[in-house]
Amino acid sequence: MLDVRTEQALARVAEQLRSLFGPDLVCLALYGSAAGEDFVPGRSDVNLAIVLNQVTFAHLKSLHPHLPKWHKLGIATPLLLDRRTLERGRDVFPMEFHDIKAQHRVLYGEEVFATLPIDGRHLRYQAEHEVRGKLLRLRALYAEVGADRQRLQRLLLDSVKTFVIVMRNFIRLRAGQSHTRYLDVLDQFETHFGETFPTMRYLLRVRLALDVWANGIEDTVRGYLEEAERLVDLVDRLLPEAESPDA
C-alpha cells in the first residue's frame, strides 16, 4: 500500500509525462512492489513502465532533466518501451513482462499489459538463466566484498528478490497461478515443491522491515549460498516438466 507522499509524487510525474509525450504516450503503469502489498516507504523502489508508440532520441532527451527530480521523490528510472518491444521482446524478457502483467496499475492510457501473451518455454529458459547467473555472481561478489558488512548486507537484500521472482515464475509454469507478495510466493513454492528456504525467508523479512540483522552474518551468507545452490538443483530437475506453452 502506497503512502500519501508517494501517491502525490506519482500524480505529479504522470501529469509531467502526459505533457512531455502528448499523444505519443500509450500507457503509463506502476509495477513491482509499489503496485502490490510489499511496498515499504523509503526503502522499496517505485517502478514505472512508459509505453510510447515509438521511442525516439527526442523522447529520451526530454526525460533527462526530469529524472534527478523524480529520484528525489523515490521514483526509479522508468522502463521505456514501445509497441514493437511489447510485441517482439516477449521471448527475450518473459519474466520481466510476466511480472508486470501479474502486478501493475495503469496510471494513464491503455491497458496494454493485462492481455500480453507469454510463452512458457521462454519463461522457463530465462528462469534457469537468472538463477544460475545469480548464484555465480553471488559467489564472485562475496569473495570481493565479504569483509565489508554493509556492502554484503546490500548484496544479500538486493539478490534475494531475484530468487523469489524465479520461484514465482516456476509456480506459474507448474501451477498456473502464483501469489505476488514475496513471503506468500516463498510459502507457495515451499509447499508446492516440498523444500524450505529459511535463510531466504529471513532476508526477505529484513528487506520488508519485518526483521533486523542478526550479529553473525557469516552464518547467514553460508546458509544463503547453500539455499541458492539447492534452488539451482531443484530448477534443473524441474525444467523437463515445465513445458507449459502459454503461461
Side-chain angles (χ1 to χ4, degrees):
M1 187 74 175
L2 294 184
D3 58 296
V4 174
R5 177 181 177 276
T6 304
E7 288 283 10
Q8 291 173 342
L10 284 173
R12 290 198 295 273
V13 170
E15 187 58 37
Q16 289 171 349
L17 286 170
R18 291 176 63 181
S19 177
L20 276 178
F21 296 142
D24 291 334
L25 181 60
V26 175
C27 173
L28 173 64
L30 178 72
Y31 70 95
S33 60
E37 300 178 62
D38 282 324
F39 182 74
V40 180
R43 295 181 61 174
S44 299
D45 293 331
V46 178
N47 294 306
L48 295 174
I50 300 170
V51 183
L52 303 175
N53 283 309
Q54 182 179 2
V55 179
T56 67
F57 180 78
H59 290 137
L60 298 177
K61 188 175 181 179
S62 67
L63 276 177
H64 179 71
H66 294 277
L67 292 181
K69 293 180 287 186
W70 294 353
H71 293 334
K72 291 180 180 179
L73 296 174
I75 296 173
T77 301
L79 178 65
L80 201 59
L81 306 166
D82 54 26
R83 290 188 183 274
R84 181 177 176 84
T85 301
L86 290 179
E87 175 63 30
R88 303 297 296 274
R90 298 192 309 268
D91 57 339
V92 182
F93 303 112
M95 282 179 52
E96 289 82 355
F97 281 138
H98 208 317
D99 281 335
I100 296 174
K101 177 180 178 178
Q103 184 167 272
H104 71 279
R105 184 178 121 205
V106 174
L107 302 177
Y108 174 78
E110 298 178 28
E111 171 55 275
V112 296
F113 293 107
T115 58
L116 201 63
I118 307 294
D119 191 317
R121 292 166 295 185
H122 300 145
L123 193 64
R124 163 199 154 176
Y125 299 143
Q126 190 187 6
E128 182 187 13
H129 178 272
E130 290 290 336
V131 74
R132 289 186 181 278
K134 183 60 71 174
L135 176 58
L136 294 175
R137 184 69 174 152
L138 269 176
R139 290 168 174 166
L141 286 175
Y142 174 66
E144 180 180 339
V145 308
D148 187 328
R149 183 183 175 94
Q150 288 189 339
R151 289 183 67 190
L152 187 56
Q153 288 176 340
R154 288 196 300 271
L155 168 64
L156 298 180
L157 296 185
D158 288 344
S159 61
V160 71
K161 177 180 174 181
T162 299
F163 290 122
V164 177
I165 289 172
V166 168
M167 290 179 183
R168 184 163 61 200
N169 280 279
F170 265 91
I171 294 169
R172 289 169 181 160
L173 285 169
R174 291 289 296 272
Q177 288 186 330
S178 169
H179 294 294
T180 53
R181 295 183 67 238
Y182 294 141
L183 288 172
D184 290 343
V185 170
L186 184 55
D187 287 340
Q188 189 179 8
F189 190 88
E190 289 180 335
T191 299
H192 193 85
F193 296 110
E195 296 278 350
T196 59
F197 299 86
T199 307
M200 291 188 184
R201 180 179 298 278
Y202 164 66
L203 291 173
L204 280 176
R205 289 182 59 82
V206 173
R207 181 185 173 94
L208 296 171
L210 299 174
D211 212 334
V212 295
W213 285 107
N215 290 329
I217 196 167
E218 289 292 327
D219 290 337
T220 299
V221 175
R222 184 181 299 108
Y224 187 46
L225 288 173
E226 289 173 355
E227 290 179 18
E229 291 166 3
R230 188 152 44 87
L231 180 59
V232 168
D233 290 340
L234 179 61
V235 165
D236 190 53
R237 295 198 307 271
L238 292 174
L239 281 177
E241 303 177 43
E243 290 287 0
S244 172
D246 188 13

